[in-house]
Amino acid sequence: MLKRALAIITLLIIGYWLAQGLAGVPFGEDRMLVGQYYLDHVKEQTGAVNAVTAVVVNYRGFDTLGEVTVLFIASTGVGALLWRRKKERTAKTEGSIVLTTGTRLLVPFVMLFGAYIFIHGHLTPGGGFPGGATIATAFLLLYMAFIVYEIPHKAFEKVEGAVGMTYVIVGLIGLAIGGYFLYDWIWQDWQWGAENIGRLFSGGFIPVIYTIIGLKVGTELSGIIDNMVKEEVSE
Amino acid sequence: MGEASKISRYLYTVIVLFLIWLLLTASLDPQELGFGLILSLIVAAFTYEIFTTSGLANLHPKRVAYAIAYVPYFLWAMIMANLDVAYRVLHPKRPIRPGIVHCKTVLNSDVGKLALANSITLTPGTITLDVDDDNYFIHWIWVPDEALTEKEEEHVKAASANITAPFEKFLKVIFG
């Protein structure tokens, strides 16, 4: 009782303190310093219509590389924590025909939609992370509906490593051509897609990077799911 | 219905996925069309094995025509059933007589059974609880007198005539 009361009082104090801080922020007023620069120059400098992805992949691409690394470490960490010599699915009951057939019909659509999200990252909201998560959802559906389903491990691990490396290589090519890491050589030097901004084949290397990220996130999250649904079996 | 050849199943998956892509992009830009086709080919290569068993046979004109005709038919059944449930909710005596009934279906394919189960659930008043081979167990909001019989056969016959039969005449043609 005393513990709970103390916790509530502490939370109230922290909440009041945060509210005080936020009260000084002038909402709805034009306070953009860097933001205005992004909005003014995003099209000519990156070829992307979606300013958010241009910032995430182009202006501050280093952060995104860091995020991909964090995800990779999370996946590796789950794998290391749950490592067992022999693991198997131990689910006992198969889903009803409604569940399994529904999953069969949905999986291709979910995958196509995931690909649609990450390929249109420079045009519409979304990008590599939501697209990859959507693709992982397709595999989650398969895991939930079928008691024996397993992702093709060998292929997944290879794809995961290869696309991660491709991301770094794309960045290193930029370093060689333009002088800094993740320099957008496709847009700056080739002017690829310069005449059709707003259509699919534009946006410099954003669609390329987002395809890479989409595949990486998709395979990684699927791997995490795989690790979590399996249990050790004693022989 | 037996299993169709791999090529037929693959092509059918590609066609369906490409149609979905057209709906998603809502654009006839050649860049979108080309890339959508490539993506459909790739995704279909991974998923055609689980997606379909009968392949291109699904695109038989008669089946497509029945599928298109089924949409307004089903929507009408849904509207009427919703009004019926609204009537039961608003009626002062609240005339409900709930019960779980046992139906049988004439459909053979898994997809047909799924469509039937979803059609039954989406028309309020009936909810599919479980499907086991050709047996459907359905929760009904108002079990009519003719289904309230001790004899199993009569019960199944009455319940099926009321619940599954109206949808089956379409779904039998569409999915087999």
Side-chain angles (χ1 to χ4, degrees), chain A residues 61-234:
Chain A
F62 220 66
D63 287 3
T64 307
L65 186 61
E67 281 168 30
V68 172
T69 316
V70 166
L71 208 61
F72 174 69
I73 294 171
S75 155
T76 321
V78 170
L81 277 174
L82 298 176
W83 189 84
R84 300 282 186 279
R85 192 167 297 281
K86 197 162 188 280
K87 281 167 62 167
E88 264 177 26
R89 305 277 317 268
T90 48
K92 298 232 164 34
T93 41
E94 183 88 46
S96 80
I97 194 169
V98 177
L99 179 67
T100 52
T101 317
T103 305
R104 278 167 196 276
L105 292 182
L106 266 180
V107 162
F109 298 141
V110 177
M111 280 188 189
L112 185 77
F113 187 57
Y116 166 84
I117 293 176
F118 68 62
I119 212 69
H120 285 90
H122 55 301
L123 302 173
T124 60
F129 290 94
T134 309
I135 288 180
T137 313
F139 289 104
L140 178 64
L141 274 175
L142 288 172
Y143 267 104
M144 292 293 158
F146 299 98
I147 54 176
V148 288
Y149 180 77
E150 273 200 49
I151 55 170
H153 290 276
K154 283 236 171 79
F156 264 50
E157 277 153 21
K158 279 190 186 120
V159 169
E160 195 184 322
V163 293
M165 219 152 66
T166 321
Y167 191 0
V168 178
I169 287 172
V170 170
L172 285 176
I173 293 173
L175 183 66
I177 297 176
Y180 57 93
F181 192 62
L182 287 173
Y183 171 77
D184 188 353
W185 40 282
I186 295 179
W187 173 256
Q188 304 275 11
D189 291 347
W190 293 5
Q191 290 285 304
W192 182 73
E195 69 284 344
N196 59 0
I197 288 177
R199 290 169 71 194
L200 184 56
F201 292 165
S202 67
F205 72 5
I206 293 176
V208 179
I209 297 270
Y210 263 166
T211 308
I212 292 166
I213 294 177
L215 290 176
K216 190 159 174 64
V217 171
T219 47
E220 243 154 34
L221 292 182
S222 309
I224 291 179
I225 294 164
D226 177 74
N227 268 313
M228 291 208 164
V229 295
K230 281 184 177 172
E231 286 173 61
E232 189 177 15
V233 286
S234 47

Side-chain angles (χ1 to χ4, degrees), chain A residues 46-59:
Chain A
T46 67
V49 185
N50 184 347
V52 177
T53 44
V55 171
V56 168
V57 178
N58 242 306
Y59 291 112

Side-chain angles (χ1 to χ4, degrees), chain A residues 97 101, chain B residues 1 53-54 58 63 105-116 131 133 136 171-172 174-176:
Chain A
I97 194 169
T101 317
Chain B
M1 193 182 321
T53 51
S54 47
N58 283 331
R63 290 183 159 187
T105 179
V106 295
L107 299 172
N108 295 319
S109 71
D110 284 355
V111 185
K113 285 176 188 168
L114 170 73
L116 179 58
V131 181
D133 284 337
Y136 277 69
L171 295 176
K172 182 72 189 160
I174 301 172
F175 299 110

